[in-house]
Amino acid sequence: GRYVVVRYSSKKVSQMYVGQITEMNRTDDLVTYLRRSGASFIRPEKEDIDTVSADDIVKILNDPKTVGGTARVALKLLFDDELDMVKQ
């Protein structure tokens, strides 16, 4: 699935998160979220999944480069895209 930036908004704040679309429907998408680890992203030990509206997807990302992924080092995903808006 494609990697995306998703916006969650409340009355006072708006937060951005990076995730991977794992299932697409007409009105919404199932997204598995990633966690920031320095300049890269990792999959959390406990899956973080949510259904989001296509309107909440603010950016489709280029496919990431992968680093690590051994028994001792977590698989890290490096994106070429500008992701300063993602604070997590």
Side-chain angles (χ1 to χ4, degrees), residues 35-51:
R35 298 280 180 241
R36 186 180 277 279
S37 176
S40 60
F41 289 82
I42 60 171
R43 297 186 189 284
E45 286 185 32
K46 182 179 177 190
E47 269 193 328
D48 185 2
I49 300 173
D50 194 16
T51 301

Side-chain angles (χ1 to χ4, degrees), residues 12-70:
K12 295 183 180 182
V13 290
S14 186
Q15 296 283 333
M16 307 279 191
Y17 298 94
V18 172
Q20 183 179 23
I21 296 175
T22 53
E23 191 175 308
M24 296 178 73
N25 298 310
R26 283 186 180 181
T27 57
D28 51 26
D29 301 316
L30 189 65
V31 175
T32 300
Y33 290 97
L34 305 172
R35 298 280 180 241
R36 186 180 277 279
S37 176
S40 60
F41 289 82
I42 60 171
R43 297 186 189 284
E45 286 185 32
K46 182 179 177 190
E47 269 193 328
D48 185 2
I49 300 173
D50 194 16
T51 301
V52 299
S53 165
D55 294 338
D56 295 327
I57 296 173
V58 296
K59 186 173 186 175
I60 296 173
L61 302 173
N62 294 315
D63 289 336
K65 296 175 187 157
T66 57
V67 177
T70 67

